């Protein structure tokens, strides 16, 4: 079995090295095909990549049409049985490849797991389990960084739409779900990703709303979910400005969660 990992980057000199190390440190034999698709960075990103050149199967650096275009380039080049997308400010969590190998089953299209979330706004770190798969009709119940999709599944359902800036992953994975793709949950954090705040939350929710409706969710249900999430995001923004978010989480027993890497 071969696992292709694709990292999309653009001017990522501050984070790209940690991302690369998280991938190449997964010592599970010669099973990882590592591909980097850079959007034509003008900072030191490619200089840093050059230090680790021997670990990459393919490296491309050229202007593209956004993150979907970068993902699609990488997937088209990938030769692995399973493909994972780890952005240049994300981490492939320790032991993730081992978990994928141990949970591999013939006929499974999509593997998904839990995540470690680092909130840079309030400097918190938490373990978050994947949501119930049936909730995918409202939004993606796991992040794409903790999701690994078979090459055959991409060949059957296609690639990421370039018309979406934020939720191209929700659009395609919901399409796969509706098309009866087979999912398998791995109860382990497969990634660590950074959450930088709510600056684009409205635009993200607007895309989620449109995609949900496009795939058959009644407008009233989609609107209720949109308003609930928007209210939550707005409240968080206010609490951050008042420096009260950690206090609010303590009250709700949702302060930063301690986690153990032993599962």
């Amino acid at each position: 079995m071969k696992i292709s990992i694709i990292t999309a980057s653009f001017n990522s000199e501050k984070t790209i090295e940690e991302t690369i190390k998280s991938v190449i440190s997964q010592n599970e034999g010669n099973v990882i095909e590592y591909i980097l698709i850079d959007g034509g960075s003008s900072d030191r990103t490619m200089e840093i990549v050059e230090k680790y050149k021997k670990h990459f199967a393919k490296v491309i650096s050229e202007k593209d049409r956004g993150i979907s275009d970068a993902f699609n380039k990488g997937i088209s080049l990938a030769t692995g049985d399973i493909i994972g997308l780890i952005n240049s400010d994300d981490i492939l969590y320790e032991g993730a490849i081992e978990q994928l190998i141990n949970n591999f089953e013939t006929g499974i299209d999509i593997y998904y797991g839990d995540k470690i979330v680092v909130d840079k706004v309030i400097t918190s770190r938490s373990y978050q389990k994947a949501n119930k798969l049936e909730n995918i009709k409202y939004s993606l119940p796991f992040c794409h960084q903790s999701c690994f999709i078979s090459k055959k599944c991409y060949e059957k359902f296609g690639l990421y739409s370039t018309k979406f800036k934020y939720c191209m992953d929700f659009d395609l994975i919901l399409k796969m779900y509706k098309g009866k793709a087979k999912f398998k949950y791995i109860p382990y954090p497969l990634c660590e990703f950074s959450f930088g705040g709510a600056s684009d939350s409205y635009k993200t929710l607007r895309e989620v709303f449109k995609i949900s409706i496009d795939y058959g969710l009644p407008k009233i249900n989609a609107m209720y979910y949109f308003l609930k999430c928007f209210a939550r995001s707005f409240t968080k923004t206010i609490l951050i400005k008042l420096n009260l978010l950690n206090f609010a989480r303590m009250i709700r027993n949702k302060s930063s969660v301690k986690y153990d890497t032993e599962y």
Side-chain angles (χ1 to χ4, degrees):
M1 183 181 72
K2 183 191 292 184
I3 300 172
S4 297
I5 301 295
I6 298 164
T7 291
S9 65
F10 180 69
N11 288 347
S12 306
E13 64 180 10
K14 294 181 179 178
T15 57
I16 187 70
E17 188 160 26
E18 190 174 5
T19 300
I20 294 171
K21 287 180 177 179
S22 77
V23 176
I24 66 177
S25 64
Q26 308 260 337
N27 298 316
E28 296 302 327
N30 192 28
V31 299
I32 298 178
E33 175 187 56
Y34 197 13
I35 298 171
L36 184 127
I37 307 295
D38 181 75
S41 292
S42 57
D43 64 358
R44 294 181 56 252
T45 296
M46 295 310 297
E47 180 184 329
I48 295 168
V49 169
E50 184 66 24
K51 291 167 52 180
Y52 300 93
K53 190 174 181 178
K54 67 178 183 180
H55 296 284
F56 288 96
K58 299 177 182 71
V59 174
I60 293 177
S61 182
E62 61 187 16
K63 288 185 178 181
D64 55 38
R65 293 178 293 149
I67 189 70
S68 292
D69 189 30
F71 286 165
N72 293 342
K73 285 181 184 180
I75 293 165
S76 298
L77 292 170
T79 62
D81 303 290
I82 302 172
I83 300 172
L85 306 174
I86 304 297
N87 297 338
S88 58
D89 57 351
D90 300 321
I91 299 296
L92 182 63
Y93 199 69
E94 180 182 355
I97 297 300
E98 179 183 6
Q99 290 293 322
L100 284 168
I101 293 171
N102 292 342
N103 282 277
F104 180 79
E105 286 184 37
T106 302
I108 296 296
D109 299 301
I110 302 171
Y111 299 84
Y112 68 99
D114 302 330
K115 60 192 176 186
I116 304 297
V117 179
V118 178
D119 191 327
K120 292 183 177 180
V121 174
I122 59 171
T123 61
S124 71
R125 186 182 179 90
S126 61
Y127 183 109
Q128 295 184 10
K129 289 186 175 293
N131 206 336
K132 294 180 180 179
L133 188 58
E134 55 265 32
N135 289 337
I136 197 172
K137 60 187 176 182
Y138 292 102
S139 66
L140 196 60
F142 45 81
C143 64
H144 77 253
Q145 298 94 326
S146 66
C147 171
F148 294 78
I149 301 175
S150 73
K151 179 75 170 180
K152 290 181 179 179
C153 192
Y154 279 119
E155 291 171 347
K156 179 178 179 180
F157 291 99
L159 302 177
Y160 295 93
S161 172
T162 55
K163 72 179 181 180
F164 294 113
K165 185 177 180 180
Y166 304 99
C167 301
M168 69 293 290
D169 48 358
F170 177 42
D171 173 64
L172 182 57
I173 295 172
L174 181 54
K175 178 182 179 181
M176 293 172 172
Y177 178 82
K178 290 284 187 176
K180 307 300 181 183
K182 294 183 179 180
F183 289 71
K184 182 175 181 178
Y185 169 60
I186 299 175
Y188 186 90
L190 300 180
C191 75
E192 177 179 309
F193 83 98
S194 299
F195 177 78
S199 59
D200 290 312
S201 62
Y202 176 76
K203 295 176 183 178
T204 300
L205 289 172
R206 190 168 59 181
E207 285 193 1
V208 168
F209 178 80
K210 182 183 185 307
I211 293 166
S212 297
I213 292 173
D214 287 346
Y215 284 94
L217 186 67
K219 283 188 178 181
I220 189 168
N221 297 64
M223 181 57 70
Y224 173 76
Y225 182 79
F226 175 91
L227 293 173
K228 181 175 71 172
C229 292
F230 183 75
R232 184 186 303 152
S233 177
F234 179 77
T235 301
K236 179 179 177 180
T237 301
I238 296 300
L239 289 172
I240 289 172
K241 289 182 177 180
L242 296 175
N243 200 27
L244 293 173
L245 185 59
N246 278 329
F247 177 74
R249 284 179 167 174
M250 289 175 63
I251 295 297
R252 296 177 58 201
N253 197 27
K254 283 193 174 183
S255 58
S256 296
V257 181
K258 293 181 179 180
Y259 57 90
D260 193 338
T261 56
E262 299 295 323
Y263 289 85

